[in-house]
């Protein structure tokens, strides 16, 4: 019994390269996100800055996710709406 040959992957590689070359677009849910990796004190200050600059009531600003890294470093993602309509 003969094993079939692997299909060519040239088309897939071109498609992936084309997609990666495009600028990052806004996610489909409409939120703007930014990820930070900062020491704990600076992380608190950055989160506070975001919440003061874009109030939660108007922009739905929140810390979407966070985790502790070695060395008392916090990695977190903030998200907000682009406008306060």
């Amino acid at each position: 019994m003969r094993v079939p040959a692997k299909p060519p992957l040239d088309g897939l590689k071109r498609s992936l390269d084309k997609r990666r070359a495009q600028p990052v677009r806004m996610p489909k849910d409409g939120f703007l996100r930014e990820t930070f990796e900062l020491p704990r004190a600076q992380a608190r200050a950055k989160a506070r800055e975001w919440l003061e600059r874009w109030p939660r009531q108007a922009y739905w600003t929140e810390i979407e996710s966070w985790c502790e890294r070695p060395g008392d470093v916090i990695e977190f993602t903030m998200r907000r709406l682009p406008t306060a309509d």
Side-chain angles (χ1 to χ4, degrees), residues 13-85:
K13 288 179 184 175
R14 279 194 307 273
S15 173
L16 287 173
D17 290 340
K18 183 179 176 183
R19 174 79 174 167
R20 290 176 181 150
Q22 293 176 351
V24 177
R25 295 184 299 167
M26 189 175 355
K28 293 180 181 181
D29 64 2
F31 284 96
L32 299 175
R33 291 175 173 82
E34 193 168 345
T35 301
F36 302 95
E37 193 170 326
L38 300 167
R40 186 177 302 268
Q42 292 177 2
R44 282 184 181 151
K46 180 58 77 173
R48 193 172 295 120
E49 174 189 326
W50 264 62
L51 292 166
E52 288 172 358
R53 189 173 198 184
W54 296 289
R56 178 172 175 73
Q57 295 80 3
Y59 294 90
W60 292 9
T61 305
E62 68 178 18
I63 298 173
E64 186 172 59
S65 64
W66 68 277
C67 64
E68 289 185 54
R69 298 285 183 209
D72 205 33
V73 172
I74 308 295
E75 180 181 334
F76 62 102
T77 301
M78 298 288 299
R79 80 173 190 185
R80 68 175 176 86
L81 291 174
T83 61
D85 288 337

